[in-house]
Amino acid sequence: MKRLLTALILLPSMSFGQVRVDLNVKLPDIVFTTPPPLVVVQPGVQVVEDYDEDLYVVDDAYWVRRDGRWYRARDYHGGWEVVEERRVPVTVVRLPPGRYKKWKHSKKGVVVPASHRERGHDHGHDRGHDDDHHKGGKGKGKKK
């Protein structure tokens, strides 16, 4: 089911008549029947885990950017609306498009987006490093 947002704009013309402009914007058809799994990617910003596009949750609202336009839904059931970029949380606007596409929560170590790993930029993240190796030991106590 395609949902379109239609706006009717009446503009004055030079001959003091009116010009009619119809705008049709396809709204996202993103709907979940249950709350989707979320991953915290930075303070105050969560993304829907393993989703086909960047789908953010900030300030109890869902946010998605498509074709340079931002949309917001108040919950996971949908109800998307077009939002001016100036009304989108700055923490989300500044994120590069595609950064959290197909993001997977790591069970060990630092979380790295799947798309980032696929490009060969893993740099050793997500390999289950023992935090104690930086302290000169294996986490088993001090040598005597």
Side-chain angles (χ1 to χ4, degrees), residues 1 8 10 14 17 24 27 30 40 52 66-67 70 86 93 97 106-107 109 111 119 130 139 143:
M1 169 199 266
L8 172 62
L10 298 175
M14 296 302 271
N24 289 320
L27 296 173
I30 302 168
V40 175
D52 290 334
R66 289 190 177 168
D67 300 321
W70 283 96
R86 65 187 177 94
V93 171
S106 173
K107 302 304 179 221
V111 178
R119 290 191 299 263
D130 186 343
K143 291 183 181 179

Side-chain angles (χ1 to χ4, degrees), residues 98-134:
R99 169 91 189 257
Y100 294 108
K101 180 179 179 177
K102 291 285 193 177
W103 184 268
K104 295 189 190 259
H105 182 267
S106 173
K107 302 304 179 221
K108 344 170 190 167
V110 179
V111 178
V112 177
S115 59
H116 193 69
R117 285 194 305 268
E118 290 165 5
R119 290 191 299 263
H121 297 107
D122 188 15
H123 301 296
H125 296 293
D126 201 25
R127 293 190 184 152
H129 289 319
D130 186 343
D131 288 338
D132 288 330
H133 81 280
H134 294 291

